[in-house]
Amino acid sequence: MKRATSIATILIALAALPPAAGAAEFDKYAIADASVSLSDTQAGAHPDLTLVFDLSENAAGEPYAKARDVELRTPAGFIGNPTAVPECTALQFGAIPDDNECPQDSQIGSIDIKVVGAPSGTFADEPIYNMAPLGSQEAARFGFFAALYPVFVNVRLDPETHELVESVEAAPTASALVRSTIRVWGVPGDSSHDPERITPEEAVSEEAPPGGRESGLPDTPFLTNPTSCEAGRQVSILTDSYQEPSVPRIAVVPFPQISGCGLVGFNPATSLKPTTTQASSATGLDYELSLPAKGLEHANLLYDSELERAQVTLPEGLTVNPSEASGLGVCSQADLARETYDSAPNVGCPESSKIGNLSATSPVLDRSVEGSLYLAKPYENPFGSLLALYMVMKVPDRGVLVKLSGEVRPDPASGQLLVTFDDVPQLPVADFHLHFREGSRAPLITPRTCGSYTTASTFTPWASPASSLTRLNAFQVESGPDHGPCPAGGTPPFEPGFQAGTESNAAGSFSPVDMRLTRRDGDQDITRFSATLPEGLAGVLAGLTQCPDSAIAQARGRTGQNGGHEELANPSCPASSELGHVLAGAGVGDVLTWAEGKIYLAGPYNGAPLSVVAIVPAVAGPFDVGTVVTREALRVDPRTAQVEVDGSASDPIPHILAGIPLTVRDLRVHVDRPRFTYNPTSCEPLSVEATAWGGGSNVFSSLDDSPHGLSERFQAADCAALGFKPRLGLTLKGGGTRRGGHPALTGVYRPRKGNANLKKLVLRLPHSAFLDQAHIRTICTRVQFAAGAGNGADCPKGAVYGHVTVFTPVLDEPLKGSVYLRSSNHNLPDFVAAVHGLVDIEVVARIDSVHGGIRATFTNLPDAPLSKVVVRMQGGKKGLIINSKNLCFKAKRNRANAAFEGHNGRRHAIKPVVRAVGCGKAHRRHRGRVPR
């Protein structure tokens, strides 16, 4: 007999509810028994699922409390496909069994349910329908009638475990649940389920038609087994009661062991190409992955294995673009945790950290999955690595959220990128598309030369974790940057730009010095650099300290995480050694990333007496990879005092750091220490000469490096504004003041402060002084003078005829050295003063005789500031000067002739008295007589 299902009947039944169990027995509410079974345990097959659970009962056969919420968790990889069958709308479902008009083919299974209350009893074969999701958190929704009462099952995807969670919330209170047997069909259209195709009204009335009904569905599977045969899967059942809603009861039961993974296929297909075919250009990237899904469309096919691990090896030359660093944000793990299926932009990962877009299609969803690719916070990510990625994919109106972490590992020597996503969720994906953003701050740079480049994608299936397969994808680089020609012969061109000069070119004045070296996109890397400053452009070292080698070593040791920030907060070198700043621009295109550092004076390096060290904290945007330390050897030309940066004895310019090729495009040096660098006092046209070395086709080898000469015109101005009136004092002293004696000669040169520097001096001693060639003992040959350390260090001791001391405002300590006679192409040997100290300087004078007197001609003297120069020539047996008369007789007539020329072109002539020291009273008594 058909049971009454009217509203009145329900109200009468509610009034007849039995009393609840005693409060003291609520704690006995529990899941007494549970089990899960599959009709087929073949991996990737499409079984029927049967889940049974019983609640504990008292002696009267009643549960100890009324079930309120019930939650089932099925293991990751067990797939349900709500798109396999039609949906039943809420209106079609109805409020009571009599009103149900759900399409027959929307049925996905049945449930046997035992309840006590109104009504009581066991209701068998209640149909379960696939319903249209209502809430935004629902991936799917099912519905059935528990006797008279509608019950809805919401299905969601757990974003952490990727398990399917089926939950019933706020179950009907009129009847208390005792037992449930749930049967979900693997293939709803299969004829074996025809007897169960009944309506809710027929289930209640127990008047189902004999043999059931046939289905009009194709054999599309609804359930699919995992494609992994791992052991230990479980199903958890959680329930609470109305009497104790905050005290859940949980039962965990084994999920049947899946087998036969060897029969599961795995055949992914890939496509990869940069967004540009130009060499040395910023590029995005499009990557597509397709996985066969026929096994989710046809019941007679096994579903192919899902992807467990993906490892993509980009070709050499396709590297990280430093240009992307500036303005780039990062996504922290806390940011990632705030990402939800419906979170707005910037609630979780900042939009500034987004570097790409994602999209995917799934056979079990009726809409695409959209997402974003974010840069993970360096070092504070699951891998502790500099580079890492987060994928966040969502279907907001289905409550779907998937988060993945990927490690990016650049080769420290070549920059080749290896990207790995491990433990990929066991979720059905048909097609996946990744798009790295394009534009000037695109995350990648294309290779430098034209040709074919191949990406290798290695995939590991869940079905067989010990095996993998590789797919290769080739792309072409077809032109140079800006659609220019490809480099001839495969070797990139090298035409660096160069600029150098002082900010103010007023002669003799202090001014900062700027130097800039640039490189075009597609050109070879700059590996080394040499420069020679124009004569007279130098720096004041007095008052400066040198950065100790230990401090430089400390800077070099600041590598990796926070090394750059440590250097910024606490510079390794003392401020007293700081000379200026360096600015490096890295990347491609019109937008570069800039890193700023400091330049310090340092001590000897690789045989050079001085050096400068550039310490650049490698901090750009969110990245900190330590410090870049480049030490350049400094030499001073002993003849011209020109400063040379010796690239052959210097550190190479770094081209890769932490596996990221720097692609330095713009290198600027700004020497701005106050009152340090000064201009020449000559206004002759000069130049800054430089050499830059290109890295050839293989920047990682110096064998194909090649030099490129560079020159920048330089000329000081307003030289006429400089004065020029130097002074010269000459003294002969010793026991040789009489005729035929050999006095010692002392000369003191004093310029006026702020005047032009001395370029030329012609000095003629008085006729009373002759060169005694018989006292020329030994002459240093030019070979000997240049041998060894140079500057006369290997000359015979007998070739020394005096000593010289040079005082200069440029140095804290005077330069001291010896006066040599050195062989020359003239009749007489040259006079050579070689001084040593912080730097070595060599001054040469030609010695000859004019009208019977000694003449010394100094030409092309260094354009360098002097305070005083003292020359002391030996006398007596070692003296080169012999008197032609008694120096004490009318000494005031003993005058020399000195003609000076400054570097600014001004001339000055004086006739200094050659003072004789040692003339006593006895000499003065002989005035009027010619002494012998």
Side-chain angles (χ1 to χ4, degrees), residues 383-425:
F383 316 102
S385 59
L386 172 67
L387 298 175
L389 301 172
Y390 292 141
M391 287 185 181
V392 179
M393 306 190 72
K394 306 177 182 182
V395 184
D397 59 350
R398 288 291 183 266
V400 173
L401 173 66
V402 178
K403 305 177 188 178
L404 293 179
S405 301
E407 182 182 12
V408 181
R409 199 172 354 150
D411 186 279
S414 67
Q416 186 175 19
L417 297 173
L418 178 65
V419 183
T420 303
F421 282 87
D422 212 344
D423 199 24
V424 178

Side-chain angles (χ1 to χ4, degrees), residues 729-739 741-748 768 872 875-876 883 885-892 894 913-921 923-924:
L730 298 170
T731 303
L732 295 173
K733 64 179 181 179
T737 56
R738 297 176 62 84
R739 181 179 179 181
H742 294 81
L745 172 65
T746 298
V748 179
S768 59
R872 293 181 175 88
N883 298 325
K885 60 182 179 180
N886 191 322
L887 300 182
C888 295
F889 180 72
K890 297 183 178 179
K892 65 180 181 180
N894 292 328
V913 174
V914 181
R915 294 192 312 113
V917 178
C919 296
K921 294 180 181 179
H923 292 94
R924 289 195 291 271

Side-chain angles (χ1 to χ4, degrees), residues 70-227:
V70 179
E71 179 182 280
L72 306 177
R73 280 182 175 262
T74 52
F78 188 64
I79 300 170
N81 182 9
T83 67
V85 295
E87 291 179 342
C88 175
T89 66
L91 183 63
Q92 290 172 322
F93 188 79
I96 57 177
D98 282 356
D99 295 338
N100 183 269
E101 296 180 353
C102 285
Q104 174 188 291
D105 286 339
S106 66
Q107 185 178 355
I108 60 165
S110 63
I111 183 170
D112 297 346
I113 190 165
K114 178 182 178 182
V115 294
V116 295
S120 294
T122 299
F123 298 89
D125 298 328
E126 294 277 6
I128 303 174
Y129 295 103
N130 179 41
M131 300 193 65
L134 293 180
S136 62
Q137 297 187 44
E138 297 174 2
R141 191 171 192 244
F142 308 136
F144 64 90
F145 281 89
L148 307 177
Y149 309 109
V151 178
F152 299 103
V153 181
N154 298 323
V155 182
R156 63 182 177 88
L157 179 69
D158 188 305
E160 301 299 327
T161 64
H162 305 109
E163 298 170 330
L164 289 177
V165 181
E166 300 88 6
S167 60
V168 174
E169 299 176 4
T173 58
S175 295
L177 177 66
V178 178
R179 176 186 175 89
S180 176
T181 301
I182 303 167
R183 293 176 295 276
V184 182
W185 302 334
V187 183
D190 192 273
S191 60
S192 63
H193 304 305
D194 290 351
E196 300 173 76
R197 300 185 206 283
I198 62 175
T199 67
E201 182 182 1
E202 292 168 343
V204 172
S205 65
E206 300 178 357
E207 293 182 0
R213 298 178 175 85
E214 293 183 358
S215 170
L217 292 172
D219 63 348
T220 305
F222 179 77
L223 293 182
T224 301
N225 276 336
T227 58

